[in-house]
Amino acid sequence: MDAIRVRGNGPLSGRIPVGGAKNAALPILCATLLSDGASLLRNVPGLRDIETTSALLRFLGRDVAVAAPEVRVSAASGPIRPEAPYELVRQMRASVLVLGPLVARHGRAKVSLPGGCAIGARPIDQHIRGLEALGATIRVEHGYVVAEAPRLKGAEIVFDLPTVTGTENLMMAAALAKGRTTLVNCAREPEVEELGRVLNKMGAKVEGAGTDIIVIHGADALDPFDHAIISDRIEAGTFMAAVGAAGGDVLLEHAPIDDLEPVIVKMRQAGVEVERDGEHMRVRRVKPLRAVDVTTAPHPGFPTDMQAQFMAMMCVAEGQSVLTETIFENRFMHVPELCRMGADIDTRGHTAFVTGVKGLSGASVMATDLRASASLVIAGLVAEGDTIVRRVYHLDRGYEHIEKKLAGVGADIARVPLEGMP
Ligand code: EPU
């Protein structure tokens, strides 16, 4: 297995292309199940989660042709098998996004319960309750959710809390339900808004996606679509944190600046300069970094998916910052690893008190989730000596060639075989 070797090498300079958004591409791939014809997705990032979703769609009976950055999905000649097996759901929780489309289109879905994951318990009760409100009969057997409904019917559904994939699952189900569905207390993430755009292209009538109330007028049948996915705000935010930590001047090509507002506000407070440059975003840090407090919140708050990377940056800022995680109960797994690199972090419950240090020192580290792994790469960019980030498969789930993109702006970073590493 490979690892990423990174060594502190001074400021970064140059251009980094930002790819398509993973968390927009995953639900949109699942939305292809709502129609029969051939759909074309463009600007799809080359990631392991995209491969896993493609494998799942193939298992269900679809033809999927991946030629990055394009993916074409069409109906295979055989019947659909409306079942998402444990083996695939275990690898990627977002597999639960086939539940809504399958029951809406085929009247039945059997999807493995995802169970907990490294960052928390992550139940799917809101997905299930919403589908029940749309008229599905749901039972749990042998670790699977089985949902059945001859035809879903529009309803008013109030989420107990905003859930991103929960909102997306119900939007897709409602797109083929009879009549009007109103979803209240929805997730407002840009990826939810993007799914709304795609469902509208398919012929559903979706209003309010990106706000907390979404109204969907279901259609009897939906059309295939051709769609270019929005840029990945978390990938762009990760590179912002890299420049924040290492210093320098980098142009993030096609970074979705409007979607990044809550991150940009905090970056600027910390002394990172961010400005729009045509359709790109310029990120510079020439002055010392200042400590800034951050509390994660659903969009438009500070994203939980940027907490670990921001913390890596705060490890080398002047002063003490207080970072509070409110979305997932176990999302500080990078803390002990950052401490092994010389960071000064004290956690109490969901809050981390980070006291900036003059420098970090390279170490062999590993993390158990995607964003935590990204934070270790960022720490490695400012550490003295070699940092070896293990379990690269976490990074490959959500970052396309992170080492090549960072090497392109002058970082001393490479993918190396793990054999023989200290
Ligand atoms: N929740 C419930 N019940 C539910 C659904 C969610 O209690 O039925 C809770 C969760 O346990 C969590 C909170 O609600 O405490 C919010 O979770 P949400 O459902 O919004 O998360 P998700 O849809 O499973 C997506 C992203 C995550 C991102 C979160 C929060 C995708 C495929 N995944 O997950 O992305 O952290 O929203 O923004 O869109 C990542 O990319 O690294 C990643 C983990």
Side-chain angles (χ1 to χ4, degrees):
M1 198 189 292
D2 290 344
I4 299 282
R5 185 201 48 72
V6 51
R7 189 180 297 144
N9 188 33
L12 305 173
S13 151
R15 303 167 77 103
I16 302 181
V18 177
K22 166 178 87 78
N23 289 348
L26 299 179
I28 293 172
L29 276 166
C30 296
T32 62
L33 290 167
L34 293 166
S35 84
D36 262 349
S39 290
L40 178 64
L41 285 74
R42 288 176 283 116
N43 199 32
V44 180
L47 302 173
R48 203 162 63 92
D49 276 7
I50 300 296
E51 285 164 26
T52 307
T53 309
S54 302
L56 175 58
L57 293 176
R58 286 188 195 109
F59 181 91
L60 295 170
R62 292 278 151 152
D63 271 343
V64 185
V66 182
E70 289 187 355
V71 178
R72 191 179 295 272
V73 186
S74 49
S77 45
I80 203 95
R81 170 169 42 164
E83 181 179 330
Y86 178 63
E87 194 43 39
L88 289 169
V89 179
R90 191 177 62 79
Q91 290 174 41
M92 194 193 63
R93 292 182 49 87
S95 306
V96 75
L97 283 165
V98 300
L99 184 61
L102 285 177
V103 69
R105 176 98 171 78
H106 300 283
R108 181 183 156 84
K110 184 176 172 195
V111 175
S112 173
L113 278 166
C117 73
I119 61 177
R122 300 179 80 181
I124 57 161
D125 56 303
Q126 300 298 309
H127 305 230
I128 291 177
R129 288 231 310 246
L131 285 173
E132 276 174 341
L134 293 177
T137 315
I138 306 224
R139 58 182 195 280
V140 174
E141 56 184 33
H142 309 300
Y144 281 75
V145 186
V146 182
E148 283 167 329
R151 169 96 197 255
L152 297 174
K153 284 194 195 65
E156 175 159 331
I157 295 160
V158 181
F159 290 106
D160 289 345
L161 78 184
T163 151
V164 176
T165 49
T167 304
E168 292 164 347
N169 233 337
L170 290 181
M171 285 167 75
M172 291 189 278
L176 274 182
K178 190 170 174 52
R180 173 188 152 120
T181 296
T182 306
L183 303 176
V184 179
N185 197 20
C186 295
R188 291 176 284 170
E189 269 67 4
E191 295 77 19
V192 173
E193 196 177 344
E194 176 78 340
L195 177 64
R197 280 189 279 271
V198 168
L199 292 174
N200 280 330
K201 276 189 181 177
M202 297 179 82
K205 205 163 148 232
V206 180
E207 292 155 10
T211 74
D212 57 353
I213 299 184
I214 304 178
V215 177
I216 301 137
H217 298 268
D220 290 335
L222 291 170
D223 300 321
F225 59 88
D226 176 340
H227 189 77
I229 310 281
I230 51 168
S231 298
D232 196 313
R233 64 193 168 105
I234 305 299
E235 188 197 17
T238 301
F239 291 129
M240 262 183 174
V243 177
D249 186 347
V250 170
L251 192 75
L252 296 180
E253 293 172 2
H254 303 289
I257 193 161
D258 297 326
D259 296 341
L260 278 161
E261 193 56 34
V263 178
I264 292 172
V265 167
K266 291 294 172 182
M267 288 284 172
R268 286 187 176 139
Q269 285 174 16
V272 181
E273 293 166 43
V274 183
E275 62 192 38
R276 194 186 293 272
D277 186 338
E279 52 191 17
H280 311 303
M281 187 170 87
R282 186 170 176 201
V283 183
R284 279 196 307 163
R285 213 254 308 150
V286 283
K287 290 185 272 182
L289 266 182
R290 289 187 294 270
V292 171
D293 297 345
V294 159
T295 299
T296 62
H299 193 79
F302 189 93
T304 174
D305 288 348
M306 275 300 300
Q307 178 258 109
Q309 304 91 309
F310 201 86
M311 189 185 294
M313 192 177 110
M314 287 297 100
C315 287
V316 289
E318 276 176 13
Q320 190 186 65
S321 52
V322 182
L323 308 187
T324 306
E325 171 60 50
T326 71
I327 308 293
F328 293 113
E329 63 267 34
N330 190 24
R331 220 175 188 184
F332 281 153
M333 282 161 309
H334 39 291
V335 170
E337 301 300 291
L338 290 170
C339 290
R340 293 184 58 244
M341 297 176 71
D344 180 351
I345 308 170
D346 185 14
T347 50
R348 278 173 234 161
H350 296 316
T351 302
F353 298 85
V354 185
T355 306
V357 293
K358 287 262 174 309
L360 298 173
S361 68
S364 237
V365 287
M366 67 180 161
T368 41
D369 86 89
L370 166 60
R371 309 301 171 187
S373 305
S375 80
L376 299 176
V377 171
I378 293 170
L381 290 173
V382 288
E384 185 253 312
D386 278 358
T387 294
I388 308 294
V389 182
R390 289 153 189 265
R391 298 196 179 159
V392 168
Y393 55 88
H394 289 301
L395 280 168
D396 292 339
R397 287 191 58 179
Y399 294 94
E400 186 174 9
H401 305 311
I402 191 169
E403 74 283 8
K404 289 192 184 134
K405 290 187 179 185
L406 286 170
V409 290
D412 185 351
I413 183 170
R415 187 176 287 250
V416 292
L418 201 47
E419 290 80 50
M421 283 287 156

